[in-house]
Amino acid sequence: MDQVKQYIEANKERFLDELFELLRIPSISAQSEHKPDMQRCAEWLAAALVKAGADRAEVMPTEGNPVVYAEKIIDPKAKTVLVYGHYDVMPVDPREEWRTEPFEPVVKDGRIWGRGADDDKGQLYMHAKAFEAMCATDSLPCNVKFMLEGEEEIGSPSLYGFCAKNKKLLKADIILVSDTSMISMQQPSITCGLRGLAYMEVEVTGPNKDLHSGLFGGAVANPANVLARLVNQLVDETGRITIPGFYDKVRELTPAERKAFNKAPFCMRKYKQALEIGAVEGEEGYTTLERTGVRPSLDVNGIWGGYIGEGTKTVIPSKATAKISMRLVPNQNHKEIAKLFEKHFKAIAPKSVKVVVKSLHGGQPYVAPTDMPAYKAAEKAIKETFGKKPLPFYSGGSIPIISGFESILGIKSLLIGFGLSEDAIHSPNESYGLNQFYKGIDTIPYFYKYFAE
């Protein structure tokens, strides 16, 4: 592995320059005007993987954004690792809160600042460069395939069909994913569980047009007021979700499991300080780690209606809308939860308004066994570069396609992410530590080594 290390060290600046090229492409899958950028980003990655050492790389069309597929087969009998990542990024809104240009990355205070720096361009590019280092030094001990999609941030709608159509092409022993976080650089961890997701949109309509709030206020239902009341009823004062049947399949942890789960290092003072909040809030009877890892949650992700421009406009809006996400835990089915949500939301709505509920996307929770060979290989790899054994950790986030991989391809996924909570993914001022980027490139070759062995 000395040659691999030397190659990485000698090419660190070039690796960073290349990542900056990738980050400059505004590949926002949620916004249709960026459709050409999605194609451009996919083509850039395909070319980069060929330069890195792939025998073949191609941009494969789907019903939505293309998938980049690449491979290097050293021996058909050898183990095969399928690397998954996504090249699409979140919108940059609210734009005015960015301290740098979102798509003009810069290094400041030891961190890479820009949209996608962590999620997931920075993390997927670690894999491309680790792969390059092993190819360049003739050190690759197993077959490697890449599957990079452009729709993860909108629920991977095209990837399920892509996987079903390309089972033979995607055949592998493990799917390797870096799209998650660690507890800290001082205490590394491996994500062994993800929450599922049910993502909804609700629209409340009252009068057939906006009304003068003086002439009609107090006599006609205001959809914005009604929506606020309905949203408020979805979670009670103890932090428990009120949808009937919501918790029916949620398994309570045993006292021993809860004790083990809460052994992960956590400082409440630093947590509140980093977020600039006076207190935490959530389901009563559970710790913050439990609330964000093994308990379900419901949150409003956006809410709007009426006039929100500069100055005043005294109206009762005709419509008000909200986007609501529910994070789910093992045994909860996102389709069942979506139906329960719709039934309940319509049931609590007053007759003075009309309600439309849409299920936008979702995915199942995922659990990765800690006794599988790939997990053990990752454990050894991380100990090699961090000097400390990683802890198993349950993430509160969701990657819906991961459970899809298991059901469609029959392959387990290993989640070794190098993100940190301070990276502000999905938020303005996203960043990724240089040490995280380079530590990932250092660690991945060890995974290949130990997994092949």
Side-chain angles (χ1 to χ4, degrees), residues 135-214:
C135 290
T137 56
D138 199 26
S139 306
L140 195 64
C142 57
N143 304 318
V144 178
K145 299 177 179 179
F146 288 86
M147 176 174 56
L148 310 177
E149 69 153 321
E151 297 183 340
E152 193 277 339
E153 300 293 13
I154 55 172
S156 305
S158 303
L159 198 59
Y160 294 90
F162 178 86
C163 289
K165 292 176 184 176
N166 293 282
K167 287 183 181 181
K168 186 176 180 180
L169 183 70
L170 302 173
K171 187 177 179 182
D173 295 286
I174 192 70
I175 299 174
L176 182 60
V177 183
S178 292
D179 191 19
T180 52
S181 300
M182 285 188 166
I183 294 172
S184 70
M185 294 299 281
Q186 293 71 44
Q187 179 52 73
S189 57
I190 298 174
T191 301
C192 55
L194 294 167
R195 290 196 288 186
L197 174 68
Y199 194 90
M200 315 296 293
E201 181 176 286
V202 295
E203 183 181 82
V204 176
T205 303
N208 59 3
K209 56 183 176 291
D210 289 357
L211 301 176
H212 189 291
S213 64

Side-chain angles (χ1 to χ4, degrees), residues 12 32 71 80 129 131 146 187 214 308 384 413 423-424 430:
K12 286 172 72 172
S32 58
E71 66 178 27
T80 299
K129 297 298 98 179
F131 171 72
F146 288 86
Q187 179 52 73
I308 56 174
E384 190 82 50
S413 295
D423 295 349
E430 179 179 352

Side-chain angles (χ1 to χ4, degrees), residues 1 3-4 74 133-142 445 448-449:
M1 297 295 287
Q3 284 184 304
V4 174
I74 62 164
M134 300 203 84
C135 290
T137 56
D138 199 26
S139 306
L140 195 64
C142 57
Y448 287 128
K449 176 181 185 293

